[in-house]
C-alpha cells in the first residue's frame, strides 16, 4: 500500500469508527521498541489502525552514537534496562559501532508498506537491532528481513539500491516535520491526543476511547434528510 493510499484508507476508516494511531519512531531508539507492548496491550480489543512512521534522529551526515562511548551505556543503565525489566522485554545495547543510519531501513519500510507488510516490518527491524545485534544499516541484513516476511528479496534489494523509495521517505519526513515531531516515540491517537515517550497501556487506551467518543459526537452533530 502506498503512503497516499494508506492515508486515504485511514480517513475512510476513521469515519466508520476505527481510530488511527500514528507512531513516529527510529530503528535505533530502544524506547520505540519498548512502546510496542503497551500499544498492543491497550488496543487488543479495540478497533484501531496502528501506523508506524519514520523519524531519523541522526540523519546523514550527522555522526551517529557509539556504544563504547560514555553516553549509550549510561542511558541504558539508568533508563532503558530498568524499564525493560519492568516490562519484561528482552533488549540489549547493540555493539554495532558506530550505530547505523536508518534511511535505508526506512526506505525498506516504504517498500514493505506498498506490499502489505508494514505492520510486520517495523517490529522485525527493531528486534533485529536490539535482540539480534544486527547492523540494520546494511542492505543484506534488510533484505534478509524482507525475505523472512515473505517479500521478494531480490526486488526489495533492487528497489533500495535504485533509490526507488527515497522520495517517499523524504515526504514521510516532511510529514513528521509538519507534525512537529522532535522525539521518538511520539504517538498521535486520532488527531488530538499526543503522547511523547513510552506510553502506559492506560494512557493509550484512554486516548483511543476518548477519540471514539469524540467521533461519535461528531457523527451525531448533524441532521439528515430524514431528521436528526
Amino acid at each position: 500500500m502506498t503512503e497516499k493510499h494508506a492515508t486515504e484508507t485511514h480517513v475512510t476508516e476513521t469515519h466508520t469508527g476505527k481510530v488511527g494511531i500514528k507512531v513516529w519512531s527510529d530503528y535505533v531508539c530502544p524506547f520505540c521498541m519498548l512502546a510496542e507492548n503497551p500499544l498492543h496491550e491497550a488496543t487488543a480489543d479495540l478497533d484501531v489502525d496502528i501506523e508506524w512512521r519514520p523519524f531519523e534522529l541522526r540523519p546523514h551526515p550527522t555522526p551517529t552514537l557509539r556504544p563504547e562511548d560514555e553516553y549509550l551505556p549510561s542511558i541504558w543503565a539508568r533508563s532503558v534496562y530498568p524499564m525493560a525489566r519492568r516490562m519484561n522485554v528482552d533488549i540489549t545495547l547493540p555493539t554495532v559501532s558506530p550505530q547505523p543510519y536508518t534511511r535505508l531501513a526506512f526506505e525498506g519500510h516504504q517498500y514493505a508498506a506498498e506490499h502489505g507488510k508494514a505492520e510486520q516490518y517495523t517490529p522485525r527491524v527493531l528486534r533485529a537491532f536490539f535482540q539480534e545485534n544486527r547492523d540494520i544499516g546494511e542492505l543484506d541484513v534488510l533484505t534478509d528481513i524482507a525475505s523472512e516476511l515473505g517479500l521478494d528479496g531480490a526486488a526489495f534489494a533492487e528497489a533500495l539500491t535504485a533509490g526507488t523509495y527515497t522520495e517517499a521517505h523524504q515526504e514521510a519526513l516532511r510529514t513528521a516535520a509538519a507534525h512537529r515531531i522532535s522525539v521518538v516515540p511520539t504517538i498521535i491517537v486520532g488527531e488530538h491526543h499526543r503522547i511523547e515517550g513510552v506510553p502506559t497501556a492506560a494512557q493509550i487506551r484512554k486516548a483511543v476511547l476518548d477519540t471514539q467518543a469524540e467521533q461519535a459526537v461528531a457523527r451525531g452533530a448533524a441532521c439528515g434528510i430524514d431528521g436528526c
Side-chain angles (χ1 to χ4, degrees), residues 64-78:
T64 61
L65 301 179
R66 297 162 52 92
E68 61 268 30
D69 293 340
E70 181 179 351
Y71 173 75
L72 281 175
S74 174
I75 193 69
W76 275 71
R78 189 170 65 250

Side-chain angles (χ1 to χ4, degrees), residues 108-226:
H109 173 266
Q110 294 292 336
Y111 180 99
E114 189 168 279
H115 293 82
K117 295 290 185 178
E119 185 177 353
Q120 298 94 328
Y121 181 87
T122 289
R124 183 64 189 92
V125 174
L126 288 167
R127 290 198 304 275
F129 189 53
F130 290 114
Q131 293 182 339
E132 300 167 8
N133 201 34
R134 300 172 75 183
D135 186 347
I136 57 170
E138 293 292 332
L139 179 61
D140 59 345
V141 172
L142 298 173
T143 302
D144 284 346
I145 291 171
S147 298
E148 179 186 320
L149 296 177
L151 296 168
D152 184 329
F156 176 91
E158 181 179 353
L160 266 59
T161 301
T164 304
Y165 294 91
T166 298
E167 178 52 35
H169 173 55
Q170 293 304 314
E171 179 59 30
L173 294 182
R174 288 191 285 271
T175 299
H179 282 83
R180 305 185 308 281
I181 306 300
S182 61
V183 300
V184 288
T186 291
I187 301 166
I188 297 181
V189 180
E191 299 298 329
H192 308 296
H193 301 273
R194 185 184 185 107
I195 302 169
E196 295 184 347
V198 179
T200 65
Q203 283 178 302
I204 293 292
R205 191 169 184 86
K206 182 178 187 303
V208 172
L209 294 176
D210 286 350
T211 300
Q212 288 178 334
E214 291 159 6
Q215 291 175 353
V217 169
R219 287 195 298 271
C223 294
I225 58 173
D226 295 324

